[in-house]
Amino acid sequence: MQQKPILLTILDVLSIIGLGAATYFALVFAPTEAVMGNVQRVFYFHVGTAWVGLIGFVLAALAGIVYLITKDAKWDRFEVAAVEVSAMFFFITIVLGSIWARPAWNTWWTWDPRLTTAAVTELVYIAYFMLRAGIEDPEKRARFGAVYALLGGLSAPITFMVIRLFRTIHPVVVGNGNPEAQGGFDMTGSMLTAMFVALGAFTVFFINLMWHRIRLGALEEKVEQIKLKVSM
Amino acid sequence: METINTDNYMIAGFIVSFVTIGIYLLSMYVRARNLKRDLETYEALDSPDKK
């Protein structure tokens, strides 16, 4: 693995500071929501992780397009990194949503359009790794992965838009409210601040993890190449 | 309206978040360590002295 760039070390430090700040703003700075109580504080992490999760899936789709055009392996590494890091963040989003839903909706899970599309999106990206693991030829693996990421990328805007297009009990905090929503709340100024701190912190952390994962991908490729050379 | 006590759910939410991130970071570290070890082994096999 190449020597770690100084900018990556700075990002490591910024990520730790950012996550610490996001936790402080969520737990201490933001006021307690009047009806739901303290569980509403997971909302800041829920939104932050959902943001980077969905953005990553869109980035993976774009990287897939660029790979199919250029056939440059670096875009395959970028795509894998975006999917893996986003799948991890999106898993947190879903679990936090479920934890919040228990006291707010009196159930851990319901097959509401938003929850269903979110679960499908996560499963689509878990299947992405199963697909890649089943293909031995690196070039074919990258090509199939790119097409899959491109198609899978459609699930991200669908998941984002579904609460704005269909009848759902999931609250729409940003944008127009949904009359069917349960558990919605009005954002105060300090709640908005906490949300933007979480969005910023998770964005920095996402970039940081992406960079580390891309470097890991380069190392994987190097090992794969030398393995081939030795075995020949 | 009375505020519900949902502290346990909040604690569970933050624990799940940090544990998931921790497991992911650990998995990246372990994968990188194993790959470096593999690379060293293959480089040793590939070196001219061994041929």
Side-chain angles (χ1 to χ4, degrees):
Chain A
M1 199 181 262
Q2 284 178 333
Q3 208 188 347
K4 192 173 168 183
I6 186 83
L7 189 60
L8 187 55
T9 308
I10 294 169
L11 266 179
D12 288 345
V13 176
L14 284 178
S15 298
I16 295 166
I17 295 169
L19 273 186
T23 309
Y24 171 80
F25 273 76
L27 292 177
V28 182
F29 181 81
T32 307
E33 206 274 333
V35 182
M36 283 178 281
N38 279 328
V39 74
Q40 183 273 336
R41 295 179 190 279
V42 302
F43 158 82
Y44 307 105
F45 273 38
H46 178 71
V47 173
T49 53
W51 156 250
V52 290
L54 294 178
I55 283 290
F57 294 144
V58 173
L59 287 176
L62 294 175
I65 295 171
V66 180
Y67 174 79
L68 289 173
I69 296 167
T70 62
K71 301 283 179 206
D72 188 338
K74 77 176 174 203
W75 293 106
D76 181 54
R77 290 199 291 270
F78 184 95
E79 176 197 300
V80 173
V83 172
E84 190 181 289
V85 174
S86 293
M88 184 274 293
F89 279 125
F90 209 59
F91 171 76
I92 296 175
T93 307
I94 293 171
V95 175
L96 286 181
S98 180
I99 288 171
W100 172 85
R102 183 67 184 93
W105 296 342
N106 203 27
T107 180
W108 293 102
W109 188 265
T110 175
W111 292 105
D112 169 83
R114 165 52 76 84
L115 276 69
T116 307
T117 51
V120 167
T121 300
E122 185 70 2
L123 291 173
V124 161
Y125 287 102
I126 290 170
Y128 169 87
F129 288 104
M130 291 165 76
L131 172 81
R132 288 186 70 100
I135 304 170
E136 217 159 289
D137 175 28
E139 198 275 326
K140 196 174 172 186
R141 184 170 58 216
R143 191 157 33 92
F144 277 47
V147 174
Y148 190 95
L150 178 56
L151 296 173
L154 295 173
S155 63
I158 292 172
T159 304
F160 178 76
M161 289 306 294
V162 77
I163 53 171
R164 291 159 180 87
L165 299 173
F166 296 98
R167 284 158 65 100
T168 163
I169 59 169
H170 191 287
V172 183
V173 178
V174 181
N176 291 330
N178 188 328
E180 303 286 322
Q182 291 172 28
F185 56 94
D186 291 323
M187 296 269 274
T188 64
S190 43
M191 283 177 171
L192 267 175
T193 307
M195 187 182 81
F196 283 115
V197 169
L199 285 173
F202 278 103
T203 304
V204 172
F205 192 36
F206 173 77
I207 296 166
N208 186 20
L209 287 182
M210 277 278 293
W211 195 341
H212 278 290
R213 185 60 185 86
I214 290 167
R215 281 165 55 84
L216 189 68
L219 187 61
E220 279 170 354
E221 205 176 288
K222 202 172 170 185
V223 170
E224 204 161 8
Q225 279 167 359
I226 197 165
K227 194 176 163 184
L228 263 172
K229 196 178 160 196
V230 168
S231 63
M232 275 202 292
Chain B
M1 207 173 206
E2 201 183 324
T3 307
I4 323 163
N5 185 347
T6 52
D7 295 3
N8 290 343
Y9 293 102
M10 177 196 72
I11 294 164
F14 281 95
I15 288 174
V16 167
S17 303
F18 285 109
V19 166
T20 307
I21 291 168
I23 290 171
Y24 184 67
L25 291 176
L26 186 69
S27 91
M28 284 239 272
Y29 168 75
V30 170
R31 281 183 287 171
R33 192 193 58 187
N34 292 345
L35 283 167
K36 278 178 197 164
R37 202 180 291 164
D38 287 352
L39 188 66
E40 279 169 15
T41 310
Y42 287 123
E43 273 173 349
L45 285 170
D46 192 39
S47 65
D49 319 340
K50 297 274 173 185
K51 282 187 177 172

